[in-house]
Amino acid sequence: MDTGVGGNRRHARTGRVVRIGTAVGVTSMMLAACGGGGGVQSTPTPPSATPSPSPAPSPSPSPTQNYDTPGYRATKGAVSMNALAAYQKGATGTGIALGVIDSGLDTRTGLFANRISPASTDVAGTRGIGDEDGHGTAVAFTAAGGRGGTQAQGVAFDATLVVLRADEPGSCTSSSGSSGLGGACSYSSDAIARGLDVARTAGARVVNISLGSNDTPPAALLAAIGRATAAGMVIVIAAGNDGESNPTLLAQIANNDSVARGQVIIAGSIGTSGTISSFSNRAGQSATHYLTALGEQVEAPNATGTRYLWSGTSFAAPQISGAAALLAQAFPNLTGAQIADLLLRTARSPAGGGSASVYGRGTLDLTAAFQPVGAMSVAGTTAAVSMGINARLSPAMGDATASGLSLVALDGYARAYHVDLSGTVAQASPRALLSPALLGRVEGAVVSDGARSVALTSAMQMPGEMRLRSIVPGDASPPGRRIVAGSITQTLSPDTAIGLGFASGGDALISGWTGQAGAAFLLSDPGFGVDRAPIASGAIRHAWGGLGISVMAESGRFAAPVPGMVPPRYDQSGLTLDRRLGDVAMTLGVTRLAERSTVLGGWFGGALGQAHGLSWFADAGARWRDAEGWTLATRWRSGWTRATGGLGDGMLQSRSWSVEAGKNGLFGRDRFDLRVSRPLRVEAGGLDLRLPSHWDYASATVDGWTAERLSLAPTGRELLVEARHGVMLGTGELSTHLFWRRDPGHIAMLPPERGVAVKYGLTF
């Protein structure tokens, strides 16, 4: 390779002569096409495309034709980037003006019919836009050539071309030769600058410059690039074909933030294997703005319409330009900076790995570019949408299923997508009933002097748990016991009692006063159908003759619906009337449950309106005891819940019940009890949601809504049966428990659970 000031340089790869204007005082530079070629006219079969992304962009025209054609498969660059991901969403470049600053265009072919902008012009003379060289036609075809049966096509084949012929008059040869290049041309920086201004005036969203120079870009060209990027244009510049460690100085304009504004992409070339082409200039110090695309053996016609296989970064650049046009059509809201950032941000890692100094940001990937990027939110709101879990049902909702919950969500670039949330509504796992009772090593103690009683519940905690589950090798510290819950009740007068509790429920205080406390069954009956952890409670009871009135209040938390989430809070209050008729103690009550961010313990995130519930429960209970030790008891609860959220509301009806029987002294110093119960279950109802279904990019508002019903009534019906036999042994009680559980957690598909447990507890 020979160089000289003010002289010529022969391109080592393409063999074309390039004029380099480096003499002192020259205000413009001469540029050369960054491409090469060969004489082979057939193309190998490209690899298969990867699947199209989901969720789908919105709005997106429904394709009426099959885009996965032999012509698409013959277009190796489109297949490499998976342009099918865009086509299947209706993006083909329609309505997008794409500028090509090069040697002109062969207008005789029908591959660009009705898609050449009237703004197209010769910015270096008055010759018209015809192509003497072939390079411009091949580049324009690679970016936006029309479809032609089984032959290769352009990436954005429906885009409008703004053809900007910039070759210096007389610099191109007329001999076509066998190289497919048709000769060599020179381009001045002044012509490039004029081309950019014409493209900007014509409203081009993307401009392709498959030219290169190692002269310092003059101020006029920098100013034109600055005007173009200020107008929102994406500019793609070929990296150059010298195999150097850095792109040409022309391409390195991308590093000049004051004029490039992050909207200039440098195009490097890879082969079909995904590795960098030997001729391609590497990313080097421009890695932040460098993107690779297929630039080897790219099928495209020359100035006479003859198809050749072209190689060079000249043909990687229009692959990227076409991809930018597809994004611009699919998502009209995107700015030029966002389009460039998306293409760079979603680039896939190079095959076999590779350094940023070689591959820059990676390889063009439209599958990733068309998928949501960044945090998603419900269109028209700030409510977050998760691709994982957006709602978790409570045990009372069991195996209720969601379907048809489709809405429009915006990603981090404010791009609208149709998202089906049905698969992100998670069912609750059945409550573990036996293991907490057996493994928690919970013990209770009650101390009473007649007027005052104190009840404490303690639990064992291993040393590692006391250290927040840290790993302490060889820790020989003994297990520790701590108080986990307790209550105190005080008789103020023969007719009045008051009670306070910590980490214990207010209903437990009342049950002791009203004669509803029963046998110590191993498997608890959750009154709300969901695990709750009371924080504090208080209650007071006063009797008028044979009628007792109790009032209670309680606050607490439900179990966190999603790991890492702060457990949701609730407040509960209730009024209970009790009366004793002979051996029967009866209660009637009403309970109010106010939830901060849940509905009967079910969590519906912002994507579903962050609904919260206000419930009213009607409670009834009766317990009969006779002098011979027989006990019969029943409990009934019906609930009505109003769910209110940002995207809709609804009503739920729920119910739970239990029946039990027992006998003291069945075989001596023993007691036998049997209980059949159904935990709280949603019998009917759900959320009536109003979901955004269409996003208007022009006004940036939701202009379409759809009504969807999320039923929360399960098909499963849990039934819990437990038999308990206890016998006094020493100072404690040895109890044996048998249990059977149908449809655990109200999930019909789960098999029944059955088991046996033996427990010994000391009384003190």
Side-chain angles (χ1 to χ4, degrees):
M1 179 182 299
D2 298 324
T3 61
V5 175
N8 297 333
R9 179 175 71 177
R10 181 170 297 277
H11 194 291
R13 181 155 186 91
T14 65
R16 67 175 52 173
V17 177
V18 181
R19 295 177 57 199
I20 304 291
T22 58
V24 176
V26 175
T27 59
S28 66
M29 64 180 182
M30 305 304 292
L31 299 94
C34 294
V40 181
Q41 298 186 39
S42 62
T43 59
T45 303
S48 299
T50 54
S52 59
S54 179
S58 169
S60 60
S62 299
T64 58
Q65 55 184 298
N66 175 29
Y67 290 105
D68 191 3
T69 63
Y72 168 73
R73 295 285 166 172
T75 311
K76 294 187 293 184
V79 171
S80 172
M81 71 178 78
N82 191 30
L84 194 62
Y87 304 154
Q88 291 178 331
K89 308 308 179 188
T92 60
T94 301
I96 302 300
L98 191 158
V100 177
I101 301 177
D102 215 290
S103 64
L105 183 73
D106 175 18
T107 59
R108 296 166 298 180
T109 175
L111 297 174
F112 306 99
N114 302 317
R115 294 191 296 112
I116 300 177
S117 168
S120 300
T121 187
D122 179 1
V123 294
T126 58
R127 301 158 297 178
I129 62 173
D131 187 8
E132 297 178 26
D133 181 62
H135 187 271
T137 299
V139 168
F141 177 86
T142 303
R147 297 192 291 168
T150 60
Q151 293 183 301
Q153 61 196 39
V155 174
F157 48 78
D158 283 336
T160 299
L161 278 168
V162 183
V163 181
L164 303 159
R165 183 176 179 182
D167 55 294
E168 289 296 299
S171 69
C172 301
T173 65
S174 59
S175 170
S176 62
S178 62
S179 68
L181 293 172
C185 304
S186 297
Y187 304 81
S188 73
S189 61
D190 289 341
I192 306 304
R194 285 192 293 272
L196 285 166
D197 284 335
V198 173
R200 173 175 53 83
T201 303
R205 296 295 308 275
V206 188
V207 166
N208 188 91
I209 305 178
S210 288
L211 306 170
S213 173
N214 277 319
D215 290 339
T216 300
L221 180 57
L222 292 175
I225 290 176
R227 290 190 293 271
T229 56
M233 187 186 297
V234 176
I235 302 174
V236 183
I237 305 177
N241 299 332
D242 296 315
E244 301 287 352
S245 59
N246 283 292
T248 68
L249 290 181
L250 174 65
Q252 290 185 44
I253 288 175
N255 300 333
N256 187 338
D257 291 336
S258 62
V259 297
R261 296 182 171 86
Q263 294 163 223
V264 177
I265 299 175
I266 302 172
S269 172
I270 58 168
T272 55
S273 65
T275 56
I276 196 78
S277 300
S278 60
F279 57 79
S280 177
N281 288 357
R282 276 49 171 170
Q285 62 190 15
S286 304
T288 302
H289 310 286
Y290 187 98
L291 182 65
T292 64
L294 188 73
E296 294 184 20
Q297 303 290 289
V298 177
E299 180 188 337
N302 69 350
T304 66
T306 304
R307 294 203 176 209
Y308 289 95
L309 296 181
W310 302 71
S311 292
T313 56
S314 281
F315 303 99
Q319 311 277 359
I320 298 172
S321 297
L326 297 179
L327 277 174
Q329 180 200 348
F331 306 104
N333 66 302
L334 291 178
T335 65
Q338 289 176 318
I339 291 174
D341 183 58
L342 266 170
L343 292 174
L344 292 164
R345 181 176 179 180
T346 59
R348 63 175 176 263
S349 300
S355 66
S357 64
V358 174
Y359 292 93
R361 301 290 287 273
T363 299
L364 177 62
D365 184 355
L366 276 188
T367 298
F370 265 73
Q371 288 177 335
V373 177
M376 298 197 72
S377 60
V378 178
T381 76
T382 59
V385 176
S386 170
M387 292 294 99
I389 296 178
N390 287 290
R392 184 176 292 280
L393 306 183
S394 71
M397 302 164 188
D399 58 8
T401 57
S403 62
L405 295 181
S406 178
L407 55 70
V408 172
L410 305 183
D411 74 347
Y413 292 83
R415 297 185 294 172
Y417 290 86
H418 286 292
V419 181
D420 187 355
L421 299 182
S422 302
T424 69
V425 178
Q427 294 177 348
S429 299
R431 298 174 65 251
L433 298 179
L434 188 59
S435 56
L438 294 179
L439 302 180
R441 287 174 289 178
V442 177
E443 295 180 3
V446 179
V447 179
S448 176
D449 62 0
R452 178 188 299 111
S453 65
V454 177
L456 298 176
T457 302
S458 62
M460 295 296 293
Q461 193 170 46
M462 300 303 293
E465 295 174 316
M466 297 179 72
R467 292 173 173 80
L468 299 179
R469 300 187 182 276
S470 61
I471 299 175
V472 185
D475 189 352
S477 302
R481 176 170 292 280
R482 65 186 180 93
I483 303 299
V484 295
S487 64
I488 181 171
T489 59
Q490 174 71 52
T491 299
L492 302 180
S493 70
D495 297 324
T496 306
I498 190 171
L500 298 173
F502 68 92
S504 61
D507 47 1
L509 294 172
I510 294 177
S511 65
W513 293 332
T514 58
Q516 298 301 312
F521 286 98
L522 193 61
L523 307 185
S524 61
D525 175 20
F528 292 132
V530 62
D531 289 321
R532 79 186 202 271
I535 297 174
S537 61
I540 186 171
R541 178 181 183 273
H542 184 75
W544 282 275
L547 180 65
I549 301 178
S550 301
V551 179
M552 73 88 176
E554 173 187 325
S555 65
R557 295 185 177 95
F558 291 129
V562 178
M565 180 180 293
V566 176
R569 297 287 298 268
Y570 72 86
D571 295 298
Q572 179 188 196
S573 57
L575 173 69
T576 301
L577 304 178
D578 68 271
R579 185 174 182 83
R580 183 176 293 275
L581 296 176
D583 294 331
V584 180
M586 298 180 296
T587 60
L588 288 174
V590 59
T591 302
R592 179 182 184 272
L593 175 66
E595 301 173 75
R596 311 281 181 86
S597 57
T598 53
V599 178
L600 289 181
W603 172 74
F604 304 90
L608 293 174
Q610 195 63 62
H612 59 278
L614 177 62
S615 302
W616 291 92
F617 296 97
D619 299 297
R623 182 171 292 273
W624 169 76
R625 292 186 178 91
D626 72 353
E628 297 180 0
W630 283 98
T631 301
L632 295 175
T634 185
R635 178 189 174 193
W636 181 271
R637 160 166 281 185
S638 289
W640 299 266
T641 301
R642 162 64 68 177
T644 305
L647 294 176
D649 52 22
M651 284 293 298
L652 284 73
Q653 299 178 28
S654 57
R655 186 174 301 123
S656 68
W657 55 264
S658 66
V659 177
E660 62 183 80
K663 176 69 169 69
N664 278 327
L666 190 64
F667 302 110
R669 296 181 59 203
D670 67 340
R671 178 172 179 84
F672 176 80
D673 293 280
L674 175 67
R675 182 174 69 182
V676 180
S677 64
R678 172 169 293 164
L680 192 73
R681 177 184 183 272
V682 175
E683 300 296 326
L687 296 178
D688 295 310
L689 302 172
R690 185 170 179 261
L691 303 178
S693 60
H694 192 272
W695 178 256
D696 179 44
Y697 280 110
S699 61
T701 58
V702 175
D703 64 349
W705 300 85
T706 184
E708 298 288 352
R709 180 72 184 279
L710 174 56
S711 174
L712 298 177
T715 59
R717 296 176 180 273
E718 179 175 337
L719 189 67
L720 180 61
V721 180
E722 181 179 356
R724 175 189 182 279
H725 181 257
V727 59
M728 298 304 297
L729 184 63
T731 59
E733 182 188 48
L734 178 68
S735 59
T736 302
H737 303 256
L738 299 174
F739 76 93
W740 178 78
R741 188 184 189 192
R742 186 194 69 187
D743 292 355
H746 298 305
I747 300 176
M749 293 184 64
L750 291 181
E753 295 178 357
R754 54 181 64 87
V756 59
V758 178
K759 186 175 182 180
Y760 181 74
L762 295 175
T763 302
F764 59 94

